[in-house]
Amino acid sequence: MNEKRYAIVLDTKKCINCKACTVACRAENHVPHEEGAYRIWVTALELQGKFPDLHQDYEPSQCQHCQNTPCESVCPTRATYKSPEGVVLVDYDKCILCKACMTACPYNARFVHEHHKAIDKCTFCYHRLPEGREPACVETCPTKVRVFGDLNDPNSQVSKLLDTNRYYRLKEDRNTNPRLYYIIK
Amino acid sequence: MSTHVEKTGNSLIQINPSKAPIPFIIIGLILLAIGGYATLQVLFKGHEAVYGVTREVPWGLLISTYAYFVITSTGLAFIGGLGHAFGFEKYSKVSKRIVVMAFVILLAGFTQIGMEIGHPIRLMIYMILSPNLSAPIVWMGVFYGIELVILAIELYLVFKPNQTAKDHETAKVVGFFALLVGVFATSNLGYVFGSLNARPFYHGVYFSTFLVISGITAGAALLMVIHNIIYGWNIPEKLNGTMNALGKIMGMGIALMAFLYLWKILSSIYTQPGDAYLSAMALIKGPLSKNFWIGELGLAVVIPFLIIAFTKARNTRALGVAGIIFMIGLFFTRYDFIVAGQLPPMRKALEGSGVEAVNGLVQYSPSAGEWMIFALGWGLFLFLYFMAEKFLNLETEEHH
Amino acid sequence: MSFTRLKLSRRKFLAASGVTLAAASMAGGLSSIKAVANDEAKGKLGELGRKFVPSSCAMCVNKCGLIAEVVNGKIRKLNPNPKFFKSRAMLCARGNAGVEEPYNPDRLKAPLLRVGKRGEGQFKEISWDEAFKIVAKNLDEIKRKYENRSAVAFYSTEGFQEEFFHFLVQSYGSANTVRHPTLCLSSVIQGWSSVFGTYPDADLTQAEFVIMLGANRGEALVTPDSIDFQKNRPKGQKIVYLDPRFTVTASKADKWYPVKPGTDLAFILAVTNVIVEEGLYDKEFVDKFTFGFDKLKEHIKPYTPEWAEKECEISASEIRWTAHEFAKYAPRSLVYPGRRTSWYVNDVYLRRACAILTAIVGSFDVPGGIVPKSSIPLAKHDPIFPFFDMSKGRLDVSFKGIKELLPEDERTAAGLPTDSCTFLGEKDGSWLAFREAALRGEPYPIKAIIAYKQNLVESAPNREKTLKLFEQMDFICTIEIQMSETAWYSDLVLPESTYLERWDPCHSLSGIWPIVTFRQPVIEPLFNTKSMHEIAAGIVNEMLKIPSLWDDADSADVEDFKATLVEEILNKPTEEFVKYQLSKYPGAFDQIKKEGVFYLSDKPVYGKMRKEGTRFKTKSGKIELYNLKYEEKGLDPLPVYRRPSQPEPGKYRFILGRHAWNTHAGTQNNEYLHMIQKENSLWINTKEAIRLGIKSGDYVKVKSKVGEQIVKAYVTEKIRPDCVFYAHGFGRISKGLSLVYKKGASQAAILEDKIEPISGNAAMHETFVEIKKA
Ligand SMILES: Nc1nc2c(c(=O)[nH]1)N[C@H]1C(S)=C(S)[C@@H](COP(=O)(O)OP(=O)(O)OC[C@H]3O[C@@H](n4cnc5c(=O)[nH]c(N)nc54)[C@H](O)[C@@H]3O)O[C@H]1N2
Ligand SMILES: Nc1nc2c(c(=O)[nH]1)N[C@H]1C(S)=C(S)[C@@H](COP(=O)(O)OP(=O)(O)OC[C@H]3O[C@@H](n4cnc5c(=O)[nH]c(N)nc54)[C@H](O)[C@@H]3O)O[C@H]1N2
Ligand code: SF4
Ligand code: SF4
Ligand code: SF4
Ligand code: SF4
Ligand code: SF4
Ligand SMILES: [Mo]
């Protein structure tokens, strides 16, 4: 097992909903300034309680890089594919914009990129990785909610975080085996 | 007014003196012009600017219309196949019309998917270069491609002058394949939806069966409508048997559809509070409820079924009326199903999620552009079909 | 972490986000850049290749370290500088959005001269030569006509180039510079300095107990505090947060007290009361370093938790709990000083009380406590400016009319002086006192405004009044990067190059972790823009051609001035200036160019003022719990609680604040940020909304004594029922800001111009509004 397995681990308790990650992603990946065009989002979860006993959490998310990959299996041209490290990617040149993958994705992670005329979504900033650079959203996050790394490396920060913390993943019932892990604290 | 057709038999081109097709040709042309305008808009401004589909509801009116057309086409091919392959006399009496209609309506369906898909040409290239065999859309391409070819062959055969016995044999075989591929194509189309992890409302074998049956029902209905139009609501006696048989198919089809639908809705309701439940509720008392109760239930089930039952499928005019009503209703059935499945949001519509919802459901309504592409499909169908009626001989000879 | 061994997948991959140059340049043609003439955006040198250039962010005051990725002369992305530890290796949303600033289609592209009526927005492009001549000519005419150079007011907000702006001011000789602190933090500086002689920082990385009064660090980002308060939060640290709104900070705090607006002082006094009465203070520290404890002890007696509960609506038991915890964790406990404190007319007393509370538990200059800032000294030019006979003293020093800027029930209250500001900053002035004096022409008229990097119209309360002031001007010139409201109402608009296109002087960012930062151009300036340095040089050189501008100065002085300022600084490139600033430290210039940062140590500095014999910058040389200067000036030497004015029934207090994704009224027209928030909305408590029949999304009219605005309602439990709020920066009246023109509502339009008379700070939470469905 020397193949890498990339993942992002999030400690959302630290998230301040500053949206730096969303802007970094938009800039890094030239996501158009259009309604509905975004690879990453930060949700303010429901306000809990009544004034003055209030609680609120924030939940950043993006494509889950599912290892059981609903979007990949319905893609007719193999425009959607998995890299050897398990990163789910889209080849713009092969995408026919049938939108089956959008309809199949349980996380609403995909959108039509108007300039590329193809489906777009989070790539874990795959183009940055060979240069040893972290994904833009991870790098810029002020409070370091997000940690990116290789699950196959027991010494990576992601492995350690998952070893020492309980975590959940989104919509486990969909059986998608996501690579975004949310730490429970 | 009865259509007077010279019994010159086999000549391909033959001007039909009836004026019945002319208004439809004109309407077809107008719709084509509207659709052409929209097509240019799409080419210049892009899909996003012209269509109302969104990130949350990626499939809307065009996919619904596509399904409506192509499933009707395969239903027609099925009926035609019954005539050819199994020698059901009643259907072979109208086999030319069936083949032409199936072919033209398939083309109409292709306009919808062609305008919906961002890169239709690429689809053809990469379906060959790197097809993903587990993706139902690939099979959809394959089956409908084959269906088109088969229908083309059938067209050739039915219009071939001086038919030989061998031609009849070939027609039988081809007809059989048309039927078979039609069933595959339609049930696979069901799987195009059923394979979507995110949309539990589409899941289950029910949908494919439902589509096949509804396609045949639609084929029967359409045949009755068109014949009424062509014969000025006065279908010649010799076709009474055929019409009666079609009427029965339709009646049975509707009953089966209603049965399957009932269970679909009930089983969805029992998934509460899951997404299938939300979809069902969107139909029953949500944003699609008018469509559902009036369109799907009233127009596609109750009224045509009652008409058929009361007339015992004998009054051809009544069958024509039932056919029209059913075809309108069926459109709601297609549209509602596809849209309802996508209304439950994949993420809650909370601040910052980017998702907007009303009463817990995302929203979709077709844009003007989509309606215009819808018109394109109808325009193509009406124009081509009635041109064929006007300029080709669609009367089928008695087989010897 | 290293990903370098990863090979790009065999598959052809993502055309646009690839690292190859071809791919990146194609991507450059996308979205945000589309509206800019492509030739311009390509970079003037036609430069090819990819490079990483360190510099610092200017999207807000924090100046975080950035590294720009530049491809073929175009900025591809701004990334955080991992070595820049003051910003903890991050860039916020605005910092990332900075990538659009040079390419923003609405940016100013050439000098503009007004041709229509003022405010009509009709301009024509002129050359820089013409522009400089126009400024010099107007300065000369005003000087001759009014025989007073101070008739020209120079407004500015902090920024690296502000130094050059002030060189321009001094070259002309007006005493009237009006800076942003009296719209922002002058009262907190005054309050803390009145106790410690300095405005210190808070060591959040080691504090165990923190009281924060509406310092919304989760949204109003201040580095490194905003990051430390989550990322580097020590295990077990407790944060008590007071704010009438449930902000992000509240959501992270251990306790959120929805304090009744304007009554924080009651809470702090009561906490102090418990600590004093129960003897929980640090006796040794108090004895050794402070002055006036006995007086405090007497003074604090009536301020019991039971008394305070009635004022601030925080229960006595919670107040007691806070006091006990605060004392328990001391000296690792602190009251966070805060920043924008332009709140109430008695703000200085509140800040004083916070400092006093911190002082008595000895949480000063220790890890986890309040720590005086350290800084890295830079070499300073000392140019000689002429002394001009026609320069009169500051307008606001002698202005006696600020009584009218106090609420009626505060005008006679003891301890609040009612004639002029007590501690007026020589360079900053008092924004509101100044405007009031200028409007009345007392004691002399103001006839021109030159504004640099400050948007007077939106940043100061009571927009009507600012516009009225503009009407009285013979000449208004604004140096901007976009068509702010101030630019829109100007006669001449000078486009500055953005922070990514220019050299900026070094700044020593003082704090617990002092660090030196600077700016170098990451791309060549686009369009016909210049830096403030070049603009100052251009104007001063034109001024030198007009003899009447120099006839009230000593000619020898003028010669020295030419040599030391014009030749030595203005006519040289900024790069030289930066080199000189760093000349004390060999190798520093190269290091800062390469790494974007220079520092002497990355360790915090503690304890330098805890040494025996330290003299604090107060009258007594001690930490003044009892302030002697205040006593002298007839102010309360110890903080006295006075109940703030209250809204009439049916009205609400309007309070201010910001979100993390915009800076003041400066960044809303940036598309990246616009994508996050398109307009602001009025926070109103659910109960009140139901009473008024208002639902979320309804438009409502918000009406104060000075103006009204229409804005969408946001019905929420996240705000007290007695106040309402909407964010700053929307409801814009400049058509040159195409994304936000008339979107949402402006704060400046409805805020009354009340003043805190000790520091001269604006009191922006003293406005009451009516809410009606629109
Ligand atoms: N994102 C972002 N960050 C910024 C800036 C920006 O524009 N945008 N600006 C920077 C600048 S210049 C400054 S000065 C700082 C300002 O940062 P802060 O000093 O935190 O000031 P505000 O953001 O105005 O937040 C004031 C808070 O006080 C609350 N408040 C109102 N009235 C009362 C009261 O009576 N008592 C209490 N306890 N709280 C009250 C308000 O609800 C609001 O949440 O932020 C800096 N950081
Ligand atoms: N209503 C209301 N008023 C407030 C506040 C509030 O929260 N609400 N906050 C107060 C506070 S804390 C502060 S600090 C002040 C800030 O007051 P201002 O300094 O006026 O703040 P901004 O609105 O950011 O305006 C800065 C202007 O500088 C321009 N600018 C940006 N970069 C450059 C540059 O490189 N060169 C030049 N020449 N111009 C540039 C921007 O385009 C913008 O128009 O506002 C105060 N006023
Ligand atoms: S950058 Fe980090 S803290 Fe900010 S919203 Fe994203 S995840 Fe949350
Ligand atoms: S989150 Fe959606 S897009 Fe991403 S891998 Fe899973 S199914 Fe595919
Ligand atoms: S839209 Fe593109 S990526 Fe998605 S399934 Fe179709 S071809 Fe594949
Ligand atoms: S990993 Fe890259 S592509 Fe994915 S959300 Fe983060 S910045 Fe965007
Ligand atoms: S806090 Fe954000 S906007 Fe301010 S300097 Fe830092 S990165 Fe720039
Ligand atoms: Mo400020």
Side-chain angles (χ1 to χ4, degrees):
Chain A
M1 281 231 297
N2 43 20
E3 211 49 284
K4 292 173 186 291
R5 273 176 47 197
Y6 289 127
I8 290 183
V9 178
L10 299 106
D11 180 358
T12 57
K13 283 280 177 229
K14 288 196 231 157
C15 177
I16 54 172
N17 194 20
C18 71
K19 313 237 195 250
C21 48
T22 71
V23 180
C25 178
R26 209 173 264 291
E28 175 71 30
N29 299 297
H30 301 288
V31 175
H33 298 301
E34 303 287 346
E35 241 12 87
Y38 54 89
R39 293 180 172 199
I40 176 172
W41 56 90
V42 187
T43 304
L45 298 181
E46 279 109 335
L47 188 65
Q48 308 283 325
K50 278 244 165 271
F51 182 89
D53 273 316
L54 300 176
H55 301 277
Q56 188 159 38
D57 286 318
Y58 305 96
E59 187 184 81
S61 202
Q62 62 217 62
C63 166
Q64 312 288 309
H65 295 273
C66 311
Q67 295 311 290
N68 298 332
T69 322
C71 53
E72 183 193 21
S73 61
V74 299
C75 176
T77 59
R78 295 187 191 275
T80 293
Y81 65 102
K82 274 210 288 291
S83 82
E85 307 84 5
V87 181
V88 179
L89 298 171
V90 180
D91 184 338
Y92 294 158
D93 291 342
K94 279 190 176 177
C95 175
I96 62 165
L97 278 184
C98 64
K99 297 188 276 186
C101 54
M102 285 173 82
T103 326
C105 169
Y107 304 94
N108 185 358
R110 302 184 152 238
F111 64 96
V112 177
H113 193 297
E114 282 193 36
H115 294 277
H116 295 308
K117 301 268 175 258
I119 290 292
D120 199 36
K121 63 164 205 73
C122 163
T123 58
F124 270 175
C125 285
Y126 198 64
H127 61 287
R128 281 182 153 226
L129 309 183
E131 295 188 318
R133 300 199 297 150
E134 296 186 306
C137 58
V138 173
E139 178 185 55
T140 215
C141 174
T143 54
K144 296 292 170 262
V145 170
R146 325 166 146 268
V147 179
F148 177 80
D150 177 10
L151 293 176
N152 275 352
D153 172 2
N155 293 318
S156 70
Q157 216 188 329
V158 286
S159 299
K160 285 187 189 149
L161 280 168
L162 295 186
D163 283 348
T164 50
N165 288 287
R166 289 190 304 133
Y167 60 82
Y168 65 94
R169 293 183 295 173
L170 301 181
K171 295 198 178 181
E172 296 261 22
D173 63 314
R174 295 268 127 230
N175 194 28
T176 49
N177 192 6
R179 287 265 175 94
L180 247 65
Y181 296 83
Y182 291 83
I183 289 181
I184 305 169
K185 272 200 170 146
Chain B
M1 184 189 72
S2 81
T3 317
H4 173 77
V5 182
E6 295 283 328
K7 271 255 175 194
T8 43
N10 293 328
S11 69
L12 179 62
I13 305 277
Q14 187 181 38
I15 299 192
N16 186 339
S18 159
K19 292 205 173 66
I22 291 174
F24 290 94
I25 293 174
I26 293 171
I27 294 173
L29 277 173
I30 294 171
L31 295 181
L32 274 178
I34 294 173
Y37 173 74
T39 308
L40 289 178
Q41 295 257 305
V42 172
L43 288 180
F44 288 114
K45 292 195 194 158
H47 287 60
E48 290 66 34
V50 181
Y51 295 163
V53 281
T54 59
R55 178 173 179 137
E56 281 69 37
V57 185
W59 284 347
L61 180 66
L62 299 195
I63 289 285
S64 312
T65 315
Y66 163 71
Y68 178 80
F69 281 141
V70 297
I71 295 171
T72 305
S73 167
T74 48
L76 283 163
F78 188 96
I79 296 173
L82 288 182
H84 278 123
F86 303 111
F88 282 89
E89 272 291 295
K90 288 171 186 145
Y91 305 131
S92 50
K93 276 193 188 156
V94 292
S95 65
K96 267 194 190 171
R97 284 216 166 87
I98 290 183
V99 175
V100 172
M101 211 181 289
F103 187 77
V104 168
I105 209 164
L106 190 63
L107 291 184
F110 286 175
T111 60
Q112 303 300 293
I113 193 91
M115 291 306 297
E116 162 70 30
I117 285 188
H119 305 283
I121 311 288
R122 257 187 218 173
L123 169 65
M124 296 176 213
I125 298 171
Y126 286 106
M127 265 198 23
I128 295 163
L129 292 186
S130 63
N132 176 5
L133 299 186
S134 70
I137 288 191
V138 164
W139 296 107
M140 183 178 95
V142 170
F143 288 133
Y144 281 108
I146 297 177
E147 186 76 5
L148 188 71
V149 173
I150 291 180
L151 287 174
I153 296 173
E154 285 201 304
L155 264 187
Y156 168 75
L157 287 173
V158 294
F159 282 109
K160 187 174 174 236
N162 309 319
Q163 309 254 345
T164 63
K166 194 163 164 259
D167 288 339
H168 284 295
E169 278 311 301
T170 322
K172 259 190 187 172
V173 176
V174 175
F176 175 71
F177 275 108
L179 182 152
L180 201 67
V181 173
V183 171
F184 278 131
T186 307
S187 49
N188 174 69
L189 188 57
Y191 187 51
V192 165
F193 295 94
S195 63
L196 303 170
N197 177 310
R199 315 290 171 180
F201 187 59
Y202 298 153
H203 295 170
V205 284
Y206 135 85
F207 192 41
S208 293
T209 326
F210 175 80
L211 289 186
V212 173
I213 291 168
S214 66
I216 297 167
T217 316
L222 192 62
L223 280 169
M224 296 186 311
V225 176
I226 298 283
H227 277 90
N228 267 298
I229 291 174
I230 294 302
Y231 294 108
W233 297 89
N234 202 352
I235 294 179
E237 298 246 325
K238 61 174 178 177
L239 289 180
N240 272 356
T242 312
M243 290 301 124
N244 179 253
L246 288 173
K248 281 183 182 151
I249 290 191
M250 190 176 149
M252 259 156 55
I254 291 176
L256 269 173
M257 281 169 65
F259 179 76
L260 287 168
Y261 215 101
L262 178 72
W263 285 111
K264 172 66 197 171
I265 296 288
L266 285 180
S267 61
S268 295
I269 288 175
Y270 282 109
T271 66
Q272 188 178 10
D275 285 353
Y277 167 79
L278 292 178
S279 294
M281 290 325 258
L283 291 175
I284 294 171
K285 51 182 200 182
L288 296 170
S289 60
K290 271 201 199 102
N291 286 2
F292 177 76
W293 293 108
I294 300 174
E296 295 194 53
L297 210 69
L299 303 182
V301 177
V302 178
I303 299 177
F305 189 78
L306 287 181
I307 292 177
I308 293 169
F310 276 115
T311 62
K312 301 212 168 67
R314 287 217 179 88
N315 180 336
T316 56
R317 269 185 220 171
L319 285 177
V321 172
I324 289 182
I325 294 175
F326 175 79
M327 288 309 285
I328 295 172
L330 184 71
F331 181 76
F332 288 101
T333 312
R334 298 275 183 264
Y335 175 87
D336 284 3
F337 194 80
I338 286 167
V339 172
Q342 299 169 80
L343 292 187
M346 292 299 102
R347 291 188 266 116
K348 277 197 190 159
L350 295 166
E351 269 172 69
S353 68
V355 180
E356 276 177 39
V358 175
N359 297 325
L361 295 176
V362 296
Q363 287 173 294
Y364 165 74
S365 58
S367 67
E370 284 170 296
W371 282 117
M372 279 150 69
I373 297 295
F374 169 84
L376 177 74
W378 278 105
L380 190 80
F381 169 64
L382 293 178
F383 176 71
L384 287 183
Y385 183 77
F386 285 99
M387 283 296 279
E389 281 287 358
K390 185 75 193 160
F391 296 110
L392 300 179
N393 176 8
L394 296 190
E395 292 289 314
T396 308
E397 314 314 292
E398 305 286 328
H399 290 274
H400 334 272
Chain C
M1 209 184 321
S2 161
F3 316 119
T4 13
R5 278 185 303 124
L6 168 132
K7 51 182 184 327
L8 263 181
S9 141
R10 300 167 288 282
R11 310 287 302 265
K12 181 162 37 55
F13 170 69
L14 291 178
S17 35
V19 290
T20 64
L21 295 179
S25 63
M26 118 163 212
L30 293 177
S31 52
S32 59
I33 300 170
K34 67 188 169 201
V36 173
N38 240 3
D39 286 348
E40 284 287 354
K42 249 181 223 148
K44 292 207 167 152
L45 298 179
E47 198 183 0
L48 285 179
R50 176 171 182 241
K51 58 179 184 180
F52 288 88
V53 190
S55 190
S56 62
C57 181
M59 295 296 283
C60 85
V61 300
N62 285 306
K63 308 166 180 71
C64 303
L66 66 78
I67 297 180
E69 182 186 353
V70 182
V71 178
N72 297 344
K74 234 185 234 182
I75 306 172
R76 186 188 180 293
K77 175 79 177 30
L78 302 175
N79 297 305
N81 180 351
K83 297 209 169 115
F84 200 92
F85 51 80
K86 193 235 176 198
S87 52
R88 310 279 192 255
M90 72 96 200
L91 286 182
C92 77
R94 298 161 295 154
N96 275 283
V99 68
E100 188 188 89
E101 293 295 283
Y103 310 107
N104 189 319
D106 280 351
R107 76 170 284 187
L108 297 171
K109 304 180 181 89
L112 296 174
L113 182 66
R114 173 171 67 80
V115 288
K117 279 204 305 212
R118 211 183 253 163
E120 240 178 29
Q122 308 243 27
F123 294 94
K124 69 166 185 192
E125 288 192 9
I126 57 170
S127 72
W128 278 105
D129 276 351
E130 270 177 274
F132 294 147
K133 282 205 178 81
I134 292 170
V135 180
K137 191 187 99 208
N138 274 283
L139 290 176
D140 177 48
E141 275 171 10
I142 286 169
K143 176 229 160 214
R144 282 188 289 129
K145 189 160 169 201
Y146 303 99
E147 300 194 335
N148 174 15
R149 292 168 180 268
S150 299
V152 181
F154 290 82
Y155 285 83
S156 65
T157 292
E158 64 77 43
F160 292 174
Q161 296 262 351
E162 196 192 15
E163 200 161 350
F164 298 121
F165 181 72
H166 281 127
F167 285 154
L168 170 66
V169 181
Q170 285 165 284
S171 305
Y172 180 61
S174 168
N176 287 318
T177 51
V178 188
R179 301 185 64 249
H180 64 290
T182 53
L183 299 171
C184 174
L185 77 175
S186 62
S187 52
V188 70
I189 295 181
Q190 174 56 226
W192 282 77
S193 304
S194 74
V195 176
F196 290 106
T198 180
Y199 168 54
D201 275 0
D203 183 12
L204 292 177
T205 58
Q206 303 205 49
E208 289 174 32
F209 194 84
V210 176
I211 299 176
M212 278 181 155
L213 310 175
N216 187 8
R217 277 308 142 266
E219 295 176 89
L221 304 183
V222 170
T223 57
D225 300 2
S226 289
I227 307 152
D228 289 346
F229 118 98
Q230 285 305 302
K231 181 187 170 195
N232 299 323
R233 185 169 182 176
K235 239 196 165 78
Q237 178 187 71
K238 289 202 184 78
I239 299 178
V240 166
Y241 180 70
L242 278 67
D243 196 315
R245 290 191 305 132
F246 185 78
T247 58
V248 170
T249 312
S251 78
K252 303 291 175 194
D254 298 276
K255 296 248 180 184
W256 170 54
Y257 299 137
V259 63
K260 180 169 180 188
T263 66
D264 297 66
L265 181 56
F267 175 84
I268 294 293
L269 289 174
V271 170
T272 311
N273 168 291
V274 174
I275 288 175
V276 171
E277 295 282 310
E278 298 186 14
L280 304 173
Y281 53 94
D282 181 339
K283 296 181 184 68
E284 200 190 318
F285 185 87
V286 165
D287 283 351
K288 201 163 155 194
F289 291 106
T290 71
F291 171 82
F293 183 77
D294 42 342
K295 294 200 174 79
L296 172 71
K297 205 167 165 178
E298 244 353 89
H299 175 81
I300 207 75
K301 278 209 169 103
Y303 297 125
T304 62
E306 286 67 24
W307 160 83
E309 177 180 299
K310 292 196 203 83
E311 293 298 324
C312 67
E313 301 183 2
I314 301 168
S315 77
S317 62
E318 292 289 341
I319 297 174
R320 280 220 159 70
W321 173 85
T322 306
H324 292 152
E325 295 290 294
F326 193 77
K328 180 167 110 195
Y329 290 109
R332 288 180 192 265
S333 55
L334 58 87
V335 184
Y336 184 82
R339 192 176 159 97
R340 187 187 66 83
T341 48
S342 41
W343 291 8
Y344 301 94
V345 293
N346 67 343
D347 198 77
V348 166
Y349 289 130
L350 167 60
R351 310 301 156 178
R352 259 186 71 64
C354 295
I356 290 169
L357 173 57
T358 309
I360 61 170
V361 296
S363 296
F364 183 72
D365 209 1
V366 286
I370 286 296
V371 182
K373 293 177 179 12
S374 301
S375 74
I376 299 170
L378 300 173
K380 263 187 80 143
H381 281 281
D382 211 358
I384 292 165
F385 292 96
F387 178 84
F388 298 104
D389 291 340
M390 288 186 192
S391 182
K392 293 190 184 158
R394 283 200 71 93
L395 187 77
D396 40 3
V397 174
S398 35
F399 177 66
K400 301 286 181 209
I402 68 173
K403 194 182 270 177
E404 263 127 87
L405 299 181
L406 285 167
E408 242 155 83
D409 49 357
E410 305 277 0
R411 282 184 196 166
T412 50
L416 286 177
T418 53
D419 50 357
S420 61
C421 297
T422 322
F423 296 104
L424 192 78
E426 201 189 324
K427 206 170 175 187
D428 300 346
S430 163
W431 215 105
L432 291 182
F434 186 89
R435 182 178 67 192
E436 207 58 24
L439 278 169
R440 300 185 198 177
E442 267 175 42
Y444 54 80
I446 296 291
K447 282 301 175 186
I449 287 174
I450 315 270
Y452 175 68
K453 202 180 171 287
Q454 190 187 104
N455 187 2
L456 290 63
V457 180
E458 282 301 325
S459 299
N462 200 339
R463 189 159 81 183
E464 259 330 289
K465 271 197 183 174
T466 310
L467 293 175
K468 207 174 270 161
L469 177 70
F470 277 25
E471 279 169 23
Q472 300 181 2
M473 294 301 120
D474 293 349
F475 180 61
I476 306 174
C477 168
T478 297
I479 302 152
E480 254 288 356
I481 56 168
Q482 62 179 347
M483 194 52 91
S484 68
E485 280 67 18
T486 308
W488 184 254
Y489 284 95
S490 292
D491 306 314
L492 182 66
V493 181
L494 303 180
E496 190 173 21
S497 310
T498 67
Y499 70 104
L500 295 163
E501 302 163 301
R502 59 181 201 233
W503 278 94
D504 271 5
C506 288
H507 263 217
S508 169
L509 304 180
S510 53
I512 305 179
W513 294 265
I515 195 165
V516 177
T517 179
F518 85 126
R519 291 193 187 103
Q520 59 184 333
V522 309
I523 53 167
E524 291 289 306
L526 301 181
F527 308 106
N528 195 10
T529 63
K530 287 185 189 301
S531 71
M532 185 62 229
H533 185 173
E534 294 163 318
I535 294 170
I539 296 171
V540 172
N541 282 313
E542 280 305 326
M543 285 165 63
L544 285 170
K545 294 181 193 160
I546 305 176
S548 53
L549 263 167
W550 309 96
D551 60 8
D552 59 335
D554 181 271
S555 57
D557 277 4
V558 175
E559 286 315 307
D560 287 347
F561 160 76
K562 283 186 198 162
T564 57
L565 182 85
V566 186
E567 293 314 323
E568 192 53 34
I569 299 174
L570 293 185
N571 290 349
K572 283 191 180 168
T574 317
E575 191 174 354
E576 292 303 314
F577 191 85
V578 174
K579 267 190 198 151
Y580 178 75
Q581 288 183 300
L582 290 170
S583 54
K584 284 188 185 178
Y585 310 101
F589 179 73
D590 289 330
Q591 187 194 327
I592 206 164
K593 254 184 88 164
K594 204 162 130 254
E595 311 214 308
V597 52
F598 172 73
Y599 50 87
L600 300 171
S601 152
D602 57 1
K603 301 273 171 315
V605 187
Y606 302 106
K608 61 179 193 247
M609 292 192 77
R610 271 198 167 236
K611 299 198 183 96
E612 206 68 49
T614 301
R615 253 200 84 82
F616 289 82
K617 284 192 199 136
T618 55
K619 192 154 195 219
S620 62
K622 295 216 161 197
I623 297 172
E624 289 194 353
L625 310 177
Y626 183 94
N627 188 292
L628 293 171
K629 273 197 206 152
Y630 280 37
E631 184 184 44
E632 234 170 54
K633 300 253 181 190
L635 303 173
D636 292 327
L638 284 158
V640 174
Y641 179 80
R642 287 182 192 84
R643 187 173 301 157
S645 334
Q646 292 302 313
E648 297 158 26
K651 288 195 179 180
Y652 302 85
R653 186 184 294 277
F654 184 78
I655 59 174
L656 275 53
R658 32 179 117 318
H659 300 307
W661 40 80
N662 270 305
T663 302
H664 308 299
T667 58
Q668 286 74 6
N669 203 51
N670 176 303
E671 244 191 308
Y672 285 95
L673 301 172
H674 186 65
M675 285 306 289
I676 302 175
Q677 188 184 21
K678 297 208 160 58
E679 60 184 292
N680 54 0
S681 40
L682 180 92
W683 290 35
I684 179 162
N685 179 276
T686 320
K687 268 200 215 107
E688 295 301 308
I690 292 172
R691 216 170 52 76
L692 298 171
I694 294 167
K695 290 191 300 299
S696 271
D698 287 353
Y699 280 94
V700 294
K701 189 190 272 174
V702 183
K703 188 167 181 253
S704 76
K705 271 194 193 140
V706 301
E708 60 183 52
Q709 292 281 288
I710 293 194
V711 63
K712 254 190 203 163
Y714 170 71
V715 175
T716 178
E717 290 287 278
K718 297 207 269 189
I719 189 164
R720 284 174 59 96
D722 54 2
C723 50
V724 292
F725 157 83
Y726 56 71
H728 184 29
F730 291 88
R732 308 299 291 271
I733 51 175
S734 160
K735 286 188 191 158
L737 304 169
S738 56
L739 297 178
V740 280
Y741 174 63
K742 286 199 168 157
K743 297 272 161 58
S746 155
Q747 290 185 347
I750 60 162
L751 285 177
E752 287 179 47
D753 42 339
K754 296 284 187 280
I755 196 166
E756 194 290 319
I758 301 177
S759 64
N761 207 357
M764 301 206 215
H765 297 204
E766 298 273 19
T767 299
F768 305 122
V769 296
E770 256 175 85
I771 310 284
K772 274 205 193 100
K773 228 169 144 163

